[in-house]
Amino acid sequence: MEYREDLFSISEEGFSKDGVPNNGNKFILANGYMGYRGTLDGFTKDQLAAFTLAGFYDKVKGKNGETVNAPDPFYIKVYADGIPLDPLFTEPESHRQKLDLRRVEFSRCTSFAVNGKKIALCSSRVLCGDEYRGALSTFEITSDTDCDVEIVCGINSDVWDINGPHLEGICFKALEGGIICESFAQEKHVPLSVALIMDGIKADGFSGGIMKTSVSLKAGKACRIERYVAVCYGPEAGEAEGIARGLEAKGMKAALQAHYDYWEEQWKLNDVEIEGSDRAQLALRYSIYQLMILSPRRNGSIGARGMSSQVYKGAVFWDTEVFMLPFFLANDHRIARNLVMYRIETLDAAKRKAEHYGYEGAFYAWESQDGEDACSDFNITDLFTGRDVKTYFKDKQIHISADVVYGIDGYIKRTGDTSVLYEGGLKTMLECALFYYSRGYYNYIKGRYELLDVIGPDEYHERVNNNAYTNYAAYATIQCAISYYNQVLAENPEYATECVNSVKEGLIEKLTKFAAGLYLPQPNCSGVVEQYDGYFKEEDVLVDDVRKRLVDPREYWGGSAGVATATRVIKQGDVIVLMTLFPEYFSPAIIEANYDFYLKYTEHGSSLSPCMYAMDACWVGRPDDAWKWFLNTAEIDLNGSAKQWLGGLYIGGTHPAANGGAWLTAICGFAGVNMRGPEITLDPHLPKDIQSIRFCLTDKGRTYRYTVSRKGVEKEEL
Ligand code: BGC
């Protein structure tokens, strides 16, 4: 692989206060265990600085549960003659910040002119790839004149919370050369410790976790502070000091090298090289970076906003199975298995949710926090009245159970690992199928089963009947459950029988009858599948016209009074999602007819939307149409173009589903890889802007490198 630094890093020159929130997302670091927003040393919750811990949830009574933010050990401020060397307060002479995607390292250099002296602050930070509970930072202060500076640093426990405060019993203990902050998350009293050891500065005299000291700088000679950090929680909380000390004993150079080596290995299989467009190459690599840094280190899954904050409560949505899992299925089957097992292991919670609504089987959480539904009843705040608006996302978005099954099926197909079937996978599929069976309604007049009162991915139209995506996805779930049941029956009849009987007696017969009678909306004479019963009768008005009806640009488009609610305008294309996930049910001509029909009505109010159109565009031979959707998706966190507000709710943060969508478009769209069959096949559709695309895929234990160009497809085994 040719290494070009400009295609493996992003950077920014100059400082703008307005850019701070978005840069927090754009320059983020994470290591699958914790994430640190791309803010500058010394920034606080006012600048949305956050050190988010994946999958560590806490709930303050009366508020929404969310992931916990740890106290910040990277807090450091420098003053010269009492003037803060901080671009928020003192105009810098120059400022540059950079995210090295290859090394997963953030760095910045800011220089100030203060009373005739030039003082530069240059720092770097990593969240260790190898020892994932550890983090490292270097901080250098250099002056062109002998002078004294004051340094204020330590652990800042005043963290940013959306629904907090979560941490209680915060106490600081001095360590040799540092400090430790101990606390616990209030709901279940889970302990959390953050240890900080500093070299290059005398670390004592802390008060409330923060110390002040004065340092005499010699002209041209840097004062270098090295920080060794560990963040541990739960049963591991007692290990924080030992881990930070272990890193210190290794030394900064060796500890950093171990981190770089770890990521070098990850890039080897995961990188995708694009020839012809540097813009596309960088954007795709950035998307891959975002996905790689979210690979869970333990059992667990990935939240819809990754580790970029507590937005969306750190919860797991269908984003993971449909948009992110394929990336991990390409080469990292261990992570893919973790993601799939997360759902299998939370089956009981899904069964409880189904029971709560009076159904049988498994109804998965729309916003899962350890399997429990974290989605609130009132997701939107009305901008004009300030009142909470009831939404039915968690009650009616029943396609989530089908998405879970889609994920398990994809995993087994690609890895050949059927062990998950015996570890709860088969039961999960049967329970999900049973849920649809029990949710089904038999329409005696029409002589068919229907799924009524649902919400499809297009959340602007709530409580509709026979949503096309939902009905087909439920059908596919049942087919999948029956087919895997038959496979297990042939291999291990005793297990299969015991499993199916534990779900419901006579289930297979019931499912077979239900699937045969389930209504699957068919294309009309123009080839278009109606999104839900009565969709064609909604007001025929286009996106821009509906946009003009907004009184405030932050208004929610759906809900009872939304501008899109009674129109054909949709948040994302349900029928397009259907045809992208299940192309086997439709001919290319039908896919093209639906692409053309729904595109004009799609607002793309979700970052999940454009990539689905992009893949369809490729498959119908219009890859140049897909190009703009690809760039839009891949650059979403680079240009900060995504919606920041939903009514009164802040929904900023990173967009891992879009990152996954960018990867899907490149691999399954442009390169035309079909990962859903028994074997991998390719039917490329390269847009004119790119000459070739090169990537690795691992199929049932064997890894191949593919090069797709206009000359054809080359494949070599690694
Ligand atoms: C979308 C959902 C998505 C969620 C999290 C919502 O805006 O409508 O489809 O799962 O965001 O990304």
Side-chain angles (χ1 to χ4, degrees):
M1 158 175 65
E2 188 210 350
Y3 173 63
R4 267 179 59 188
E5 198 204 331
D6 60 325
L7 297 182
F8 256 110
S9 62
I10 56 163
S11 59
E12 207 164 284
E13 302 280 343
F15 180 81
S16 141
K17 278 185 202 164
D18 296 342
V20 169
N22 191 50
N23 279 348
N25 301 317
K26 183 172 165 181
F27 288 85
I28 192 169
L29 289 176
N31 67 2
Y33 169 79
M34 52 193 179
Y36 193 90
R37 284 172 62 81
T39 47
L40 304 187
D41 324 77
F43 280 11
T44 65
K45 63 182 186 185
D46 295 335
Q47 290 77 44
L48 310 187
F51 204 159
T52 302
L53 300 172
F56 177 8
Y57 298 107
D58 184 72
K59 187 172 165 66
V60 173
K61 218 167 170 220
K63 297 190 185 178
N64 291 326
E66 61 191 7
T67 35
V68 168
N69 282 338
D72 183 1
F74 294 125
Y75 181 79
I76 186 162
K77 278 188 183 287
V78 182
Y79 298 82
D81 303 336
I83 297 169
L85 302 184
D86 177 337
L88 291 171
F89 304 102
T90 307
E91 177 94 20
E93 276 210 326
S94 67
H95 172 78
R96 181 167 200 261
Q97 64 187 63
K98 176 177 159 190
L99 183 66
D100 185 328
L101 306 177
R102 190 186 188 191
R103 295 183 143 187
V104 191
E105 180 172 42
F106 172 84
S107 59
R108 54 81 68 120
C109 236
T110 317
S111 78
F112 300 87
V114 179
N115 297 338
K117 309 178 270 277
K118 275 198 180 163
I119 306 179
L121 308 181
C122 293
S123 68
S124 73
R125 92 173 65 105
V126 304
L127 306 182
C128 300
D130 49 328
E131 171 43 272
Y132 58 82
R133 294 157 303 173
L136 306 164
S137 159
T138 62
F139 191 90
E140 292 189 350
I141 314 165
T142 319
S143 168
D144 67 349
T145 317
D146 288 3
C147 68
D148 289 347
V149 289
E150 189 174 61
I151 300 173
V152 179
C153 63
I155 302 179
N156 181 9
S157 60
D158 188 15
V159 302
W160 174 34
D161 276 323
I162 295 179
N163 287 295
H166 295 282
L167 300 180
E168 287 192 336
I170 297 174
C171 80
F172 295 95
K173 289 183 192 151
L175 302 176
E176 203 193 317
I179 185 149
I180 187 162
C181 173
E182 294 175 344
S183 61
F184 56 86
Q186 56 161 290
E187 187 190 11
K188 293 179 192 144
H189 286 258
V190 178
L192 165 67
S193 299
V194 179
L196 167 68
I197 311 272
M198 291 191 279
D199 282 356
I201 191 173
K202 198 163 179 301
D204 63 12
F206 287 95
S207 164
I210 305 292
M211 59 161 260
K212 276 189 197 161
T213 188
S214 185
V215 171
S216 297
L217 299 176
K218 290 276 162 242
K221 191 165 181 320
C223 160
R224 179 179 164 98
I225 302 167
E226 296 184 338
R227 289 178 287 179
Y228 300 91
V229 164
V231 180
C232 295
Y233 63 89
E236 294 181 345
E239 293 178 33
E241 182 187 351
I243 292 170
R245 284 223 183 281
L247 289 169
E248 191 205 18
K250 223 175 190 177
M252 189 56 76
K253 199 165 168 232
L256 279 174
Q257 194 55 51
H259 165 82
Y260 300 148
D261 291 347
Y262 174 88
W263 286 109
E264 191 68 28
E265 277 305 303
Q266 305 303 309
W267 275 111
K268 271 188 194 154
L269 284 185
N270 288 321
D271 192 27
V272 176
E273 291 171 88
I274 288 184
E275 196 196 349
S277 166
D278 286 354
R279 179 179 172 192
Q281 174 69 84
L282 180 63
L284 181 60
R285 213 164 247 158
Y286 182 74
S287 299
I288 292 170
Y289 166 88
Q290 288 285 357
L291 292 163
M292 285 192 336
I293 64 171
L294 295 178
S295 313
R297 290 312 179 101
R298 303 163 165 196
N299 295 345
S301 192
I302 304 175
R305 288 290 179 269
M307 284 170 232
S308 61
S309 66
Q310 296 155 319
V311 168
Y312 280 168
K313 307 162 194 130
V316 179
F317 291 62
W318 72 311
D319 303 36
T320 310
E321 281 72 22
V322 174
F323 298 81
M324 300 179 221
L325 179 63
F327 168 78
F328 297 102
L329 281 178
N331 289 299
D332 201 336
H333 293 175
R334 193 180 54 85
I335 298 293
R337 193 175 205 279
N338 269 354
L339 299 177
V340 162
M341 287 310 293
Y342 169 82
R343 295 298 195 175
I344 293 174
E345 283 164 5
T346 53
L347 175 63
D348 283 346
K351 286 175 67 179
R352 284 196 298 276
K353 179 172 168 188
E355 196 182 345
H356 169 80
Y357 289 99
Y359 301 109
E360 293 176 281
F363 180 10
Y364 272 86
W366 178 238
E367 298 184 25
S368 171
Q369 286 182 347
D370 296 331
E372 300 300 327
D373 210 324
C375 185
S376 35
D377 291 325
F378 300 88
N379 268 279
I380 311 292
T381 306
D382 182 83
L383 273 180
F384 307 109
T385 61
R387 293 199 180 105
D388 291 337
V389 179
K390 171 81 178 126
T391 52
Y392 293 87
F393 303 159
K394 79 166 177 214
D395 319 83
K396 307 290 177 189
Q397 220 156 152
I398 63 170
H399 66 83
I400 180 68
S401 293
D403 306 326
V404 166
V405 172
Y406 180 82
I408 302 174
D409 178 39
Y411 172 78
I412 298 173
K413 283 208 175 101
R414 226 37 310 120
T415 63
D417 171 18
T418 51
S419 68
V420 293
L421 290 171
Y422 296 91
E423 289 173 40
L426 178 62
K427 190 165 161 63
T428 300
M429 292 198 242
L430 290 168
E431 293 282 9
C432 289
L434 171 61
F435 169 63
Y436 292 117
Y437 168 80
S438 86
R439 184 78 169 53
Y441 156 84
Y442 191 72
N443 182 330
Y444 281 94
I445 300 169
K446 299 202 164 140
R448 65 193 191 195
Y449 290 101
E450 302 187 344
L451 290 169
L452 307 181
D453 196 10
V454 306
I455 304 180
D458 163 32
E459 291 171 336
Y460 291 166
H461 296 93
E462 299 190 29
R463 312 196 65 167
V464 298
N465 295 336
N466 293 313
N467 171 268
Y469 173 67
T470 308
N471 283 27
Y472 275 90
Y475 176 79
T477 296
I478 294 165
Q479 298 300 354
C480 217
I482 295 177
S483 143
Y484 281 111
Y485 164 76
N486 285 331
Q487 183 179 327
V488 174
L489 190 68
E491 283 167 14
N492 187 338
E494 214 170 289
Y495 179 80
T497 311
E498 192 189 301
C499 186
V500 78
N501 287 341
S502 75
V503 178
K504 191 177 178 76
E505 282 215 11
L507 180 63
I508 300 300
E509 295 70 35
K510 289 182 171 56
L511 292 179
T512 307
K513 187 169 162 226
F514 180 68
L518 179 59
Y519 169 49
L520 299 176
Q522 294 302 309
N524 65 9
C525 54
S526 313
V528 180
V529 172
E530 190 172 33
Q531 182 173 299
Y532 53 79
D533 289 353
Y535 172 83
F536 291 146
K537 293 195 195 110
E538 303 285 23
E539 188 191 358
D540 186 359
V541 59
L542 301 182
V543 177
D544 283 342
D545 299 316
V546 164
R547 186 174 282 114
K548 284 187 199 132
R549 296 176 183 176
L550 292 170
V551 177
D552 183 311
R554 290 176 305 156
E555 256 182 78
Y556 181 54
W557 289 40
S560 52
V563 284
T565 304
T567 74
R568 287 186 182 181
V569 168
I570 52 182
K571 185 176 184 187
Q572 49 186 321
D574 290 12
V575 174
I576 300 306
V577 178
L578 160 63
M579 295 184 175
T580 312
L581 300 195
F582 304 105
E584 60 273 22
Y585 297 134
F586 306 96
S587 68
I590 294 293
I591 297 180
E592 190 163 16
N594 284 275
Y595 172 88
D596 284 329
F597 179 83
Y598 282 106
L599 187 55
K600 56 187 179 292
Y601 297 118
T602 307
E603 188 237 347
H604 301 297
S606 165
S607 63
L608 280 51
S609 182
C611 68
M612 291 282 152
Y613 279 94
M615 279 187 282
D616 273 7
C618 291
W619 299 344
V620 299
R622 289 158 61 178
D624 295 319
D625 287 7
W627 184 243
K628 67 171 180 295
W629 301 122
F630 167 70
L631 290 175
N632 169 303
T633 303
E635 291 181 341
I636 191 167
D637 291 325
L638 288 172
N639 59 24
S641 58
K643 271 194 185 176
Q644 300 284 313
W645 295 95
L646 189 65
L649 183 73
Y650 178 65
I651 54 162
T654 56
H655 297 80
N659 304 136
W663 183 90
L664 275 165
T665 305
I667 303 300
C668 302
F670 300 152
V673 170
N674 181 356
M675 292 173 62
R676 305 261 332 156
E679 304 299 329
I680 288 179
T681 57
L682 282 86
D683 178 17
H685 299 278
L686 291 182
K688 65 177 176 358
D689 297 74
I690 60 180
Q691 306 314 321
S692 72
I693 176 162
R694 175 190 276 223
F695 49 91
C696 296
L697 292 178
T698 302
D699 193 26
K700 302 185 196 76
R702 299 172 85 159
T703 302
Y704 304 89
R705 171 166 293 127
Y706 293 85
T707 307
V708 176
S709 68
R710 290 189 206 286
K711 284 186 251 142
V713 177
E714 283 170 38
K715 177 180 171 186
E716 54 167 323
E717 186 162 2
L718 295 183

